[in-house]
């Protein structure tokens, strides 16, 4: 999604743009070589998370081998969170990886304005010109230069709607992603949303959101029902806004189904939930995290057992499905706390379950407290970043071994009939990781 927004900002400069999603690629290296040779880009932009940072940077190295003059720009969650604190070991490790893979520039924070300014640079060897661009870190000789922080975009209604026509294949799917806010007002210690979005919660107006739904409905000529996934970190913070969106969907008779993520604290209003269902909402994804009350306190999660129970019951009563998200393998977890979580999950009327292992993402309070000395378990000894996959246990001890934790995860999934059972890690060959931990890139020709 991020690259679609960047493409729109570049399109005003009359650039020729191609977006390629390597989540869809089967032959990672052959695909990127073929695209670079055919498209002959001036700029290659990469959007990378922590888990795919190492593999994703290989694209930069491959591109430079084909054409050393290509400018490679790296953005996404990992760069933003790792560049916040120069004392964080990920800061130096990230720059070392960028050096190794010949990346030129890192974009820190929101990229719409930054990338547009970078695309307009007349000479990338001109240090003074780059120093005037806020929110980047760039290579100058053997050193890296970090510029002034870029302020957040205050009114995100002004950001154009993403245009799927930039993708290299015709968009024929009956589902779309929409982001209606940036950030989250909660302060959960394990979540990197506050770090990525600068600790500020901003939201689009209901009018602006309805205009984008109208765009998908009419501009893309969708005559039948299609699905919209609202991918906000939390969609229901502003109850009045949610009601306005629902009323607008009904008033305009949009033929859509949709789903969203929410906090338990925001799903206590049964009448609002019924309105959501009437307006086409099919399911709500709830961050429940644990069945251990002490864990709620430790991670600063605004949950309680009574709050969660009422949230689940309200959503079910309104006629929607509930997906419960849990996290196990916190540093303080033991057999008893995980058993309590499984018992709690079974007591709820959930339709599906998501279960992740606690992961100390760079920049979070959780990282600062528990991973500042690289103490996490390394399933992949050759690449630190792959171990930040939420499907891999991090905090092992004599009581919670790797196999024990994987079995607990499986038990959680099997506690609900319809839950998705993830592929076992041992079935993922290391030779195939380029496909598993894939990346997305934006290619620009000026």
């Amino acid at each position: 999604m991020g690259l679609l927004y960047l493409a729109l900002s570049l399109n005003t400069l009359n650039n020729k743009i191609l977006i390629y999603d390597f989540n869809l690629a089967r032959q990672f290296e052959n695909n990127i070589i073929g695209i670079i040779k055919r498209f002959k880009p001036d700029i290659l932009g990469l959007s990378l998370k922590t888990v795919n940072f190492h593999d994703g940077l290989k694209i930069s190295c491959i591109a430079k081998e084909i054409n050393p003059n290509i400018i490679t720009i790296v953005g996404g969650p990992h760069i933003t969170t790792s560049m916040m604190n120069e004392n964080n070991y990920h800061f130096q490790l990230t720059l070392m990886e960028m050096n190794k893979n010949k990346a030129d520039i890192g974009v820190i924070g929101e990229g719409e304005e930054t990338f547009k300014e970078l695309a307009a640079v007349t000479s990338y060897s001109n240090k003074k010109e780059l120093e005037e661009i806020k929110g980047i870190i760039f290579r100058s000789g053997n050193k890296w230069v970090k510029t002034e922080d870029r302020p957040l975009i205050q009114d995100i209604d002004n950001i154009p709607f993403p245009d799927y026509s930039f993708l290299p294949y015709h968009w024929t799917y009956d589902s779309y992603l929409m982001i209606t806010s940036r950030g989250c007002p909660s302060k959960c210690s394990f979540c990197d949303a506050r770090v990525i979005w600068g600790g500020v919660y901003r939201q689009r107006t209901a009018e602006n959101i309805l205009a984008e739904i109208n765009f998908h409905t009419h501009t893309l000529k969708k005559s039948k029902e299609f699905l919209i996934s609202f991918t906000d970190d939390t969609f229901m913070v502003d109850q009045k806004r949610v009601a306005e969106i629902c009323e607008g969907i009904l008033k305009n008779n949009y033929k859509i189904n949709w789903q969203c993520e929410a906090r338990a604290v925001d799903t206590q209003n049964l009448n609002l939930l019924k309105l959501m269902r009437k307006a086409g909402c099919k399911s709500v994804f709830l961050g429940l995290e644990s069945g251990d009350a002490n864990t709620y306190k430790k991670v600063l999660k605004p949950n309680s057992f009574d709050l969660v129970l009422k949230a689940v019951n309200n959503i079910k009563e309104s006629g929607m499905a509930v997906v419960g998200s849990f996290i196990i393998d916190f540093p303080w977890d033991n057999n008893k706390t995980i058993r309590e979580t499984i018992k709690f999950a079974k007591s709820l009327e959930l339709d599906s379950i998501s279960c992740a292992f606690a992961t100390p993402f760079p920049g979070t309070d959780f990282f600062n407290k528990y991973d500042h000395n690289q103490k996490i378990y390394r399933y992949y000894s050759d690449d630190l970043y792959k171990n930040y996959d939420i499907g891999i246990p991090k905090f092992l001890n004599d009581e919670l071994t790797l196999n024990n934790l994987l079995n607990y995860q499986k038990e959680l999934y099997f506690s609900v009939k319809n839950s998705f059972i993830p592929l076992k890690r041992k079935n993922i060959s290391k030779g195939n990781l380029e496909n598993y931990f894939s990346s997305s890139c934006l290619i620009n020709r000026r």
Side-chain angles (χ1 to χ4, degrees), residues 73-112:
I73 303 173
V74 183
H78 181 75
I79 291 292
T80 295
T81 57
S82 296
M83 294 295 104
M84 291 291 185
N85 182 359
E86 295 184 22
N87 296 320
N88 159 353
Y89 72 83
H90 271 291
F91 182 91
Q92 295 300 330
L93 188 60
T94 296
L95 294 183
M96 183 179 74
E97 288 289 334
M98 290 175 70
N99 267 327
K100 177 182 172 183
N101 289 280
K102 305 174 185 177
D104 297 299
I105 301 169
V107 173
I108 305 166
E110 291 177 315
E112 285 88 355

Coordinates of all heavy atoms in Angstrom, one line a residue, residues 73-112:
I73 N 16.8 3.6 -3.2 CA 16.3 4.3 -2.0 C 15.5 3.3 -1.2 O 14.6 2.6 -1.7 CB 15.4 5.5 -2.4 CG1 16.2 6.5 -3.3 CG2 14.8 6.2 -1.2 CD1 15.3 7.6 -3.9
V74 N 15.8 3.2 0.1 CA 15.2 2.2 1.0 C 14.3 2.9 2.0 O 14.7 3.8 2.7 CB 16.3 1.4 1.7 CG1 15.6 0.3 2.5 CG2 17.2 0.8 0.7
G75 N 13.1 2.5 2.1 CA 12.1 3.0 3.1 C 11.4 1.9 3.8 O 11.7 0.7 3.7
G76 N 10.3 2.2 4.4 CA 9.5 1.2 5.1 C 9.7 1.2 6.6 O 10.5 1.9 7.1
P77 N 9.0 0.3 7.3 CA 9.0 0.3 8.8 C 10.4 0.1 9.4 O 10.7 0.8 10.4 CB 8.1 -0.9 9.1 CG 7.2 -1.0 8.0 CD 8.0 -0.6 6.8
H78 N 11.2 -0.7 8.8 CA 12.5 -1.0 9.4 C 13.5 0.2 9.4 O 14.1 0.5 10.5 CB 13.2 -2.2 8.8 CG 14.5 -2.5 9.4 ND1 14.6 -3.2 10.6 CD2 15.8 -2.2 9.1 CE1 15.9 -3.3 11.0 NE2 16.6 -2.7 10.1
I79 N 13.6 0.9 8.3 CA 14.4 2.1 8.3 C 14.0 3.1 9.3 O 14.7 3.7 10.0 CB 14.4 2.7 6.9 CG1 15.2 1.7 5.9 CG2 15.1 4.0 6.9 CD1 16.6 1.6 6.1
T80 N 12.7 3.3 9.3 CA 12.1 4.4 10.3 C 12.4 4.0 11.7 O 12.9 4.9 12.5 CB 10.6 4.5 10.0 OG1 10.4 5.0 8.7 CG2 10.0 5.4 11.1
T81 N 12.1 2.8 12.1 CA 12.3 2.4 13.5 C 13.8 2.3 13.9 O 14.2 2.6 15.0 CB 11.6 1.1 13.8 OG1 12.0 0.1 13.0 CG2 10.1 1.3 13.6
S82 N 14.6 1.8 13.0 CA 16.0 1.6 13.3 C 16.8 2.9 13.3 O 17.9 3.0 14.0 CB 16.7 0.7 12.3 OG 16.1 -0.6 12.3
M83 N 16.4 3.9 12.6 CA 17.1 5.2 12.5 C 16.8 6.2 13.6 O 17.3 7.3 13.7 CB 16.9 5.8 11.1 CG 17.5 5.1 10.0 SD 19.3 4.9 10.0 CE 19.5 3.3 10.5
M84 N 15.8 5.8 14.4 CA 15.3 6.8 15.5 C 16.4 7.0 16.6 O 16.4 8.0 17.2 CB 14.0 6.2 16.1 CG 12.8 6.2 15.2 SD 12.3 7.9 14.8 CE 10.8 7.6 13.9
N85 N 17.1 6.0 16.9 CA 18.1 6.0 18.0 C 19.4 5.5 17.6 O 19.6 4.3 17.3 CB 17.5 5.2 19.1 CG 18.4 5.2 20.4 OD1 19.4 5.9 20.4 ND2 18.0 4.5 21.4
E86 N 20.4 6.4 17.6 CA 21.8 6.0 17.1 C 22.5 5.1 18.1 O 23.5 4.5 17.7 CB 22.6 7.3 16.9 CG 22.0 8.1 15.7 CD 22.9 9.3 15.4 OE1 24.1 9.3 15.8 OE2 22.4 10.3 14.8
N87 N 22.0 5.0 19.3 CA 22.6 4.1 20.3 C 22.0 2.7 20.2 O 22.5 1.7 20.9 CB 22.3 4.6 21.7 CG 23.1 5.9 21.9 OD1 24.2 6.1 21.5 ND2 22.4 6.9 22.6
N88 N 21.0 2.5 19.4 CA 20.3 1.2 19.2 C 21.2 0.4 18.2 O 21.6 0.9 17.2 CB 18.9 1.5 18.6 CG 18.2 0.4 17.9 OD1 18.8 -0.6 17.6 ND2 17.0 0.6 17.5
Y89 N 21.5 -0.8 18.5 CA 22.5 -1.6 17.7 C 21.9 -1.8 16.3 O 22.7 -2.0 15.4 CB 22.8 -2.9 18.3 CG 21.8 -4.0 18.4 CD1 21.6 -4.8 17.2 CD2 21.0 -4.3 19.5 CE1 20.6 -5.8 17.3 CE2 20.1 -5.3 19.5 CZ 19.9 -6.1 18.4 OH 19.0 -7.0 18.4
H90 N 20.6 -1.7 16.1 CA 20.1 -1.8 14.7 C 20.5 -0.7 13.9 O 20.5 -0.8 12.6 CB 18.5 -2.0 14.8 CG 18.1 -3.4 14.9 ND1 18.2 -4.3 13.9 CD2 17.5 -4.0 16.0 CE1 17.7 -5.5 14.3 NE2 17.3 -5.3 15.5
F91 N 20.7 0.5 14.5 CA 21.1 1.7 13.7 C 22.4 1.4 12.9 O 22.4 1.5 11.7 CB 21.4 2.8 14.6 CG 21.7 4.1 13.9 CD1 20.8 5.0 13.6 CD2 23.1 4.4 13.7 CE1 21.1 6.2 12.9 CE2 23.4 5.6 13.0 CZ 22.4 6.5 12.7
Q92 N 23.4 0.9 13.6 CA 24.7 0.6 12.9 C 24.6 -0.7 12.0 O 25.2 -0.7 10.9 CB 25.8 0.4 13.9 CG 26.2 1.7 14.7 CD 26.6 2.8 13.8 OE1 27.2 2.6 12.7 NE2 26.4 4.0 14.2
L93 N 23.8 -1.6 12.5 CA 23.7 -2.9 11.7 C 22.9 -2.6 10.4 O 23.3 -3.1 9.3 CB 22.9 -3.9 12.5 CG 22.8 -5.3 12.0 CD1 24.2 -5.9 11.8 CD2 22.0 -6.2 12.9
T94 N 21.9 -1.7 10.5 CA 21.2 -1.4 9.3 C 22.1 -0.6 8.3 O 22.0 -0.9 7.1 CB 20.0 -0.5 9.7 OG1 19.1 -1.3 10.5 CG2 19.2 0.0 8.4
L95 N 22.9 0.3 8.7 CA 23.8 1.0 7.8 C 24.8 0.1 7.2 O 25.2 0.3 6.1 CB 24.4 2.2 8.6 CG 23.5 3.3 9.0 CD1 24.3 4.4 9.7 CD2 22.7 3.9 7.9
M96 N 25.3 -0.8 8.0 CA 26.2 -1.8 7.5 C 25.6 -2.6 6.4 O 26.3 -2.9 5.4 CB 26.7 -2.7 8.7 CG 27.8 -3.7 8.3 SD 28.3 -4.8 9.7 CE 26.8 -5.8 9.8
E97 N 24.4 -3.1 6.6 CA 23.7 -3.8 5.5 C 23.5 -3.0 4.3 O 23.6 -3.5 3.1 CB 22.4 -4.4 6.0 CG 22.5 -5.5 7.1 CD 23.0 -6.8 6.4 OE1 22.7 -7.0 5.2 OE2 23.6 -7.6 7.1
M98 N 23.1 -1.7 4.5 CA 22.9 -0.8 3.3 C 24.2 -0.6 2.6 O 24.2 -0.5 1.3 CB 22.3 0.5 3.8 CG 20.9 0.4 4.3 SD 20.2 1.9 5.0 CE 20.0 2.9 3.5
N99 N 25.3 -0.4 3.3 CA 26.6 -0.3 2.6 C 27.0 -1.6 1.8 O 27.4 -1.5 0.7 CB 27.7 -0.1 3.7 CG 28.0 1.4 4.0 OD1 27.9 2.2 3.1 ND2 28.4 1.7 5.2
K100 N 26.8 -2.7 2.5 CA 27.1 -4.0 1.8 C 26.3 -4.2 0.5 O 26.8 -4.7 -0.4 CB 26.8 -5.1 2.8 CG 27.0 -6.5 2.3 CD 26.6 -7.5 3.4 CE 26.6 -8.9 2.9 NZ 26.2 -9.9 3.9
N101 N 25.0 -3.7 0.5 CA 24.2 -3.9 -0.7 C 24.1 -2.7 -1.6 O 23.2 -2.6 -2.4 CB 22.8 -4.4 -0.2 CG 22.8 -5.8 0.3 OD1 22.8 -6.8 -0.4 ND2 22.9 -5.9 1.7
K102 N 25.0 -1.7 -1.3 CA 25.1 -0.6 -2.2 C 23.9 0.3 -2.3 O 23.7 1.0 -3.3 CB 25.5 -1.0 -3.6 CG 26.8 -1.9 -3.6 CD 27.1 -2.5 -5.0 CE 28.2 -3.4 -5.0 NZ 28.5 -4.0 -6.3
A103 N 23.1 0.4 -1.2 CA 22.0 1.3 -1.1 C 22.5 2.7 -1.0 O 23.5 3.0 -0.3 CB 21.0 0.9 0.0
D104 N 21.8 3.7 -1.6 CA 22.2 5.1 -1.5 C 21.6 5.9 -0.5 O 22.2 6.8 0.2 CB 22.0 5.7 -2.9 CG 22.8 5.0 -4.0 OD1 24.0 5.0 -3.9 OD2 22.1 4.5 -4.9
I105 N 20.3 5.7 -0.3 CA 19.5 6.6 0.6 C 18.5 5.9 1.4 O 17.9 4.9 0.9 CB 18.8 7.7 -0.3 CG1 19.8 8.5 -1.1 CG2 17.9 8.6 0.6 CD1 19.2 9.4 -2.2
G106 N 18.3 6.3 2.6 CA 17.2 5.7 3.5 C 16.2 6.8 3.7 O 16.5 7.9 4.0
V107 N 14.9 6.5 3.7 CA 13.8 7.4 3.9 C 13.2 7.1 5.3 O 12.8 6.0 5.6 CB 12.7 7.3 2.9 CG1 11.5 8.2 3.3 CG2 13.2 7.8 1.5
I108 N 13.3 8.1 6.2 CA 12.8 7.9 7.6 C 11.5 8.6 7.8 O 11.3 9.8 7.5 CB 13.9 8.5 8.6 CG1 15.3 7.9 8.3 CG2 13.5 8.3 10.0 CD1 16.4 8.7 9.0
G109 N 10.5 7.8 8.2 CA 9.2 8.4 8.4 C 8.3 8.3 7.1 O 8.6 7.5 6.2
E110 N 7.3 9.2 7.1 CA 6.4 9.2 6.0 C 7.1 9.6 4.7 O 7.9 10.5 4.7 CB 5.2 10.2 6.2 CG 4.3 9.7 7.3 CD 3.2 10.7 7.6 OE1 3.5 11.9 7.8 OE2 2.0 10.2 7.8
G111 N 6.8 8.9 3.6 CA 7.6 9.0 2.4 C 7.0 9.8 1.3 O 7.7 10.1 0.3
E112 N 5.8 10.2 1.4 CA 5.1 10.9 0.2 C 5.9 12.1 -0.3 O 6.2 12.2 -1.4 CB 3.7 11.2 0.6 CG 2.7 10.1 0.6 CD 2.6 9.4 1.9 OE1 3.4 9.8 2.8 OE2 1.8 8.4 2.1

